Amino acid sequence: MRRIFAALVMIGLAGAAPLGCGRVVEGVLTAAPAFLIGESQEIAIGLQGAREIVAETPIYPDPRLAGYVQRLGARVAATTERADLPWTFTVLRSDEPDAFALPGGYVFLTTGMIKRMRDEAELVGVLSHEIGHITSRHALELIRQAAVAQGLTEAVIGQDSGATALLANVVTTLVLRGYGRSKEIEADQLGARYAAGLGFDPQALGDMLTRLELESGGAPAWLAPLSTHPTLDERLSALNTTIATLGGGGGGGGTGGTGTRTPSSRGDGQAFAAATASLR
């Protein structure tokens, strides 16, 4: 974390005397106790990070799949408290099953993840989980935690493009390392709520998590096998508790759950099959 946070120092973030509360005043970011980044800056950071991602991992060249994922993701995002972000959902060409979110509304998932999905509800579940990270500003919280750990309390960023680029690099690095136990569980719970609100089976996310673990014989990449990350059992338990409050049944996340499932709750089978045909 010290090595990563050194990049923040490089872009001119100077420590100052501790302040009693976080605030943003004319481009000054205050990190103690709340590291706040304005929405326009958050979007700029996410956009720069997104550009870096696609420069390293190619976008999957299928406009039908791209449009389908964008429409589904936008449909979920429109129901959230941050509906007016410039939501962008991008499919990357990679066999590794993965999905992640950058601040400002930028969501990525790989072809390897989509190949392992069985229906539209599972795609919505994964997208909703990643949307939950953004609506909760989890990436910005990682930066706040890093700032406070280093004793940084105040930083001038403003609209400097070089600062934004380097901060985006730091945020992307932190995001790809994972959000940690409580934030992954919170994103699962938000994802279940968002999916259920649109009539999709909220158990679908648990189904996907379970399948990925069974396939890998342990914790797959998306579960980030680090000590700070929740186990699958922890995630399913928290997810099922949330589903119960939504009127669902809970259960094993695809291994015999007792929630009520109707054909429509798993989404549009024809649309899913048509959109993902190039991956089959």
Side-chain angles (χ1 to χ4, degrees):
M1 186 63 78
R2 288 182 181 275
R3 179 184 62 79
I4 293 171
F5 203 74
L8 294 177
V9 178
M10 288 172 59
I11 61 178
L13 307 189
L19 299 175
C21 61
R23 66 179 186 278
V24 179
V25 181
E26 296 179 353
V28 178
L29 299 178
T30 302
F35 192 91
L36 301 180
I37 294 178
E39 190 169 280
S40 62
Q41 182 73 8
E42 177 188 357
I43 292 169
I45 291 167
L47 176 59
Q48 181 62 37
R51 288 170 176 165
E52 294 173 5
I53 291 294
V54 299
E56 295 182 6
T57 306
I59 295 174
Y60 185 63
D62 181 348
R64 185 171 192 171
L65 179 60
Y68 175 69
V69 171
Q70 176 66 35
R71 288 191 298 274
L72 270 183
R75 185 178 165 194
V76 177
T79 69
T80 73
E81 59 274 29
R82 307 196 71 191
D84 38 353
L85 286 175
W87 290 95
T88 303
F89 301 86
T90 303
V91 180
L92 300 174
R93 184 166 59 191
S94 171
D95 289 334
E96 185 72 29
D98 202 1
F100 55 92
L102 296 179
Y106 299 91
V107 175
F108 295 86
L109 70 164
T110 64
T111 50
M113 180 69 90
I114 298 174
K115 284 179 182 179
R116 290 162 172 81
M117 294 174 176
R118 294 181 178 173
D119 54 40
E120 191 172 76
E122 291 185 356
L123 175 54
V124 168
V126 171
L127 291 173
S128 297
H129 169 94
E130 299 304 334
I131 288 169
H133 280 307
I134 295 173
T135 58
S136 298
R137 297 176 173 84
H138 285 163
L140 303 186
E141 174 63 15
L142 289 178
I143 292 297
R144 185 200 70 81
Q145 290 173 358
V148 172
Q150 294 299 311
L152 182 65
T153 59
E154 194 168 279
V156 178
I157 290 182
Q159 300 303 313
D160 182 85
S161 59
T164 297
L166 282 172
L167 185 55
N169 181 269
V170 173
V171 172
T172 301
T173 300
L174 291 170
V175 166
L176 294 178
R177 288 180 61 175
Y179 289 102
R181 186 179 305 272
S182 63
K183 291 178 177 57
E184 291 299 338
I185 288 176
E186 182 181 9
D188 286 344
Q189 294 172 320
L190 284 171
R193 292 184 185 281
Y194 295 154
L198 288 173
F200 289 96
D201 183 357
Q203 286 275 12
L205 176 59
D207 294 348
M208 191 70 203
L209 292 169
T210 301
R211 189 176 312 117
L212 287 173
E213 182 175 67
L214 289 173
E215 176 188 301
S216 68
W222 198 44
L223 293 180
L226 300 174
S227 61
T228 57
H229 287 245
T231 65
L232 177 61
D233 285 345
E234 287 179 290
R235 291 181 75 166
L236 292 179
S237 177
L239 186 60
N240 290 334
T241 297
T242 297
I243 290 171
T245 69
L246 299 173
T255 57
T258 59
T260 300
R261 302 186 183 198
T262 64
S264 62
S265 74
R266 299 300 294 199
D268 187 330
Q270 282 190 319
F272 179 79
T276 62
S278 64
L279 299 177
R280 307 302 175 183

